[in-house]
Amino acid sequence: MTEMQDKYNIWGTFKSVELEKKYLEETFETNRNYTFLTYFFCCLFFVFAGVFGDFQRKFYILGAYELLAVRLFILAISISFFLIYRKVTERPKHWELWLDVLKILSSISIFLLTWWTKGASLTLLPGIMMMVGSFYMILPGRVHSTNICAVFLLITFALLQDPVLTYGEKVHRYMIFMLFAIEVLLLFFKCKIDKWARVEFYTKKELDTINDTKDKILAAIAHDIRNPLTIIMTKAERCRIQAQKGDMSAVVDYQNSIVSSVSRLDGLLADIVDWAVTELQNGRTLKENKCIDKTIREAIEFVYEQAETKNIKFDIDVEPANILHETKMMKTCIRNVLSNAIKFSNSSSQIKISGILDANHYKIIVSDSGVGMEEDIVKDILGGVNSHTDFGSEGEKGTGLGLKLVKNVITRHEGEMEITSTPGQGTTFTFLIPSKVQSAIA
């Protein structure tokens, strides 16, 4: 709860300029029409108030027609405000400035009314109270401009209203206090309303993040255990056949292999659980300065049996180096790319895995000579929106989720992903991982 409170300032807005900007931009389209209507009707009622009230007053400087012209000018601004921005879907750069101008001009018109009538208007106080109430409770916009206008109106009433011509000195002082108290209460109310709106926005974002994380976790579980379970089932079936034939030596070999596969699957599920916990803890990472060579080789070891079923060989040329990375997530990333390469490679082919360290990055390259991909699929993968699924070179089924996970892991490591692919010739995945902490290993 304390962490949530720390995100807001005393005015009820986000302390973070970036977060506040994001809130205003994402809520703009929802609030746009409400903003148009409230400002238009307030300006329209302001004109009606002048029509019904100004011509009944005694003016000492200029007159009711000049003041009505000011009121109509403000109404014209609100109408032009609507005509200019009625079709926009993104928050204009000077949106708040438009809103501030309308409130400031309305406040100036009250000042002119009071000055031109020499403070003799008996309806000045209720008019100011209605205007201040509209500023704080109805009209969207920055609280700072609202405060400036409210203080300006308070000073106008306090200094320009003539107590002798209106309610008397004592009543005048009491009304100043009442107007001040009302403004303070309305300020408190506006700050609370603004904060509640932002709390709702932030909470929704957090829930969306949690839901996205849940989807990624389920996708990881569904995708990453499919191949190991298929291999285990295949070995179990072969074990059963050998048992029927009485070849106990082969049975023992298959059983030992199944135990090994189950052990690796158990480790995989533990990795996914650790990743899930990390994802749900506000983006906390588990990056460590570890040898990425070991991470890559462990990922290869996990898919070795999958490659063996298609007699696919690995050509490994990985430069050892200590790189700051999350080992479990990176293994998941490389494992998925390798699994994808195996799936779309022909039997008895080769997959090349390279690792190269330069001044700023550690480059991981996975190349196959399989079926390749079309350009639009490559673009979807790089954009993190790929949902395309296809059958492998021997009819293997896929979920289309693996490469989404790969994109997520690389993004989490602030890295870059490149894909070059030619249909019928193969695909090359290249990952550039920032080498923020590095040291060559002998």
Side-chain angles (χ1 to χ4, degrees), residues 81-214:
F81 181 53
F82 168 75
L83 294 176
I84 293 172
Y85 293 129
R86 69 187 188 280
K87 292 183 179 180
V88 298
T89 56
E90 295 183 359
R91 177 172 161 268
K93 183 177 180 180
H94 302 296
W95 179 258
E96 266 72 31
L97 183 59
W98 274 89
L99 307 184
D100 292 346
V101 165
L102 287 170
K103 287 185 285 189
I104 290 170
L105 288 178
S106 299
S107 302
I108 290 175
S109 68
I110 296 298
F111 168 80
L112 294 176
L113 168 65
T114 310
W115 180 28
W116 293 353
T117 60
K118 293 186 177 181
S121 174
L122 295 175
T123 60
L124 179 62
L125 180 62
I128 289 178
M129 291 177 64
M130 288 183 63
M131 184 172 290
V132 170
S134 298
F135 287 172
Y136 280 113
M137 299 181 64
I138 299 173
L139 299 177
R142 292 182 287 198
V143 69
H144 301 302
S145 62
T146 298
N147 289 339
I148 291 172
C149 291
V151 171
F152 178 75
L153 291 171
L154 176 64
I155 294 173
T156 298
F157 178 77
L159 300 182
L160 297 185
Q161 177 81 344
D162 189 342
V164 176
L165 298 177
T166 52
Y167 307 104
E169 192 68 39
K170 291 183 179 180
V171 174
H172 182 67
R173 287 197 297 267
Y174 177 72
M175 288 181 173
I176 293 172
F177 166 74
M178 290 297 295
L179 182 57
F180 172 76
I182 289 172
E183 289 184 358
V184 170
L185 292 174
L186 289 175
L187 172 61
F188 176 78
F189 179 78
K190 179 171 177 58
C191 291
K192 294 296 289 184
I193 290 294
D194 286 350
K195 182 178 177 181
W196 289 339
R198 285 159 177 80
V199 168
E200 182 181 7
F201 170 81
Y202 186 78
T203 302
K204 184 178 182 300
K205 287 293 179 185
E206 289 289 286
L207 289 174
D208 289 343
T209 300
I210 291 173
N211 285 330
D212 289 343
T213 301
K214 175 205 68 177

Side-chain angles (χ1 to χ4, degrees), residues 93-367:
K93 183 177 180 180
H94 302 296
W95 179 258
E96 266 72 31
L97 183 59
W98 274 89
L99 307 184
D100 292 346
V101 165
L102 287 170
K103 287 185 285 189
I104 290 170
L105 288 178
S106 299
S107 302
I108 290 175
S109 68
I110 296 298
F111 168 80
L112 294 176
L113 168 65
T114 310
W115 180 28
W116 293 353
T117 60
K118 293 186 177 181
S121 174
L122 295 175
T123 60
L124 179 62
L125 180 62
I128 289 178
M129 291 177 64
M130 288 183 63
M131 184 172 290
V132 170
S134 298
F135 287 172
Y136 280 113
M137 299 181 64
I138 299 173
L139 299 177
R142 292 182 287 198
V143 69
H144 301 302
S145 62
T146 298
N147 289 339
I148 291 172
C149 291
V151 171
F152 178 75
L153 291 171
L154 176 64
I155 294 173
T156 298
F157 178 77
L159 300 182
L160 297 185
Q161 177 81 344
D162 189 342
V164 176
L165 298 177
T166 52
Y167 307 104
E169 192 68 39
K170 291 183 179 180
V171 174
H172 182 67
R173 287 197 297 267
Y174 177 72
M175 288 181 173
I176 293 172
F177 166 74
M178 290 297 295
L179 182 57
F180 172 76
I182 289 172
E183 289 184 358
V184 170
L185 292 174
L186 289 175
L187 172 61
F188 176 78
F189 179 78
K190 179 171 177 58
C191 291
K192 294 296 289 184
I193 290 294
D194 286 350
K195 182 178 177 181
W196 289 339
R198 285 159 177 80
V199 168
E200 182 181 7
F201 170 81
Y202 186 78
T203 302
K204 184 178 182 300
K205 287 293 179 185
E206 289 289 286
L207 289 174
D208 289 343
T209 300
I210 291 173
N211 285 330
D212 289 343
T213 301
K214 175 205 68 177
D215 292 341
K216 285 188 287 187
I217 292 168
L218 293 176
I221 293 173
H223 184 273
D224 278 14
I225 69 173
R226 178 183 295 272
N227 288 330
L229 283 177
T230 300
I231 292 171
I232 291 170
M233 290 176 63
T234 300
K235 289 178 180 179
E237 178 62 22
R238 290 177 180 175
C239 181
R240 184 182 66 81
I241 294 172
Q242 295 302 322
Q244 290 175 347
K245 292 180 179 180
D247 187 353
M248 300 310 296
S249 176
V251 169
V252 171
D253 289 341
Y254 278 122
Q255 287 179 337
N256 290 336
S257 182
I258 290 172
V259 170
S260 177
S261 297
V262 170
S263 178
R264 280 195 293 272
L265 180 58
D266 179 66
L268 170 63
L269 290 174
D271 288 352
I272 292 175
V273 170
D274 288 341
W275 174 37
V277 171
T278 302
E279 286 282 315
L280 290 170
Q281 290 181 343
N282 296 322
R284 182 177 65 86
T285 66
L286 296 173
K287 291 182 181 177
E288 297 178 281
N289 183 31
K290 285 193 172 184
C291 181
I292 198 165
D293 170 61
K294 181 180 179 182
T295 302
I296 295 173
R297 292 185 182 276
E298 287 179 355
I300 295 171
E301 181 182 350
F302 195 90
V303 298
Y304 181 77
E305 290 181 346
Q306 181 188 354
E308 199 174 43
T309 60
K310 298 178 73 171
N311 195 30
I312 292 174
K313 305 298 182 183
F314 293 118
D315 179 8
I316 306 170
D317 182 16
V318 179
E319 181 180 350
N322 281 356
I323 297 296
L324 189 67
H325 68 289
E326 292 183 285
T327 56
K328 294 175 180 179
M329 292 183 68
M330 190 57 66
K331 276 191 288 186
T332 298
C333 171
I334 298 169
R335 185 170 61 238
N336 275 289
V337 173
L338 290 173
S339 178
N340 195 70
I342 294 168
K343 173 184 171 183
F344 290 103
S345 292
N346 296 318
S347 296
S348 302
S349 60
Q350 187 181 77
I351 296 174
K352 183 175 177 58
I353 303 107
S354 303
I356 305 168
L357 178 66
D358 62 26
N360 300 312
H361 298 90
Y362 190 89
K363 183 185 292 186
I364 303 172
I365 305 171
V366 178
S367 300

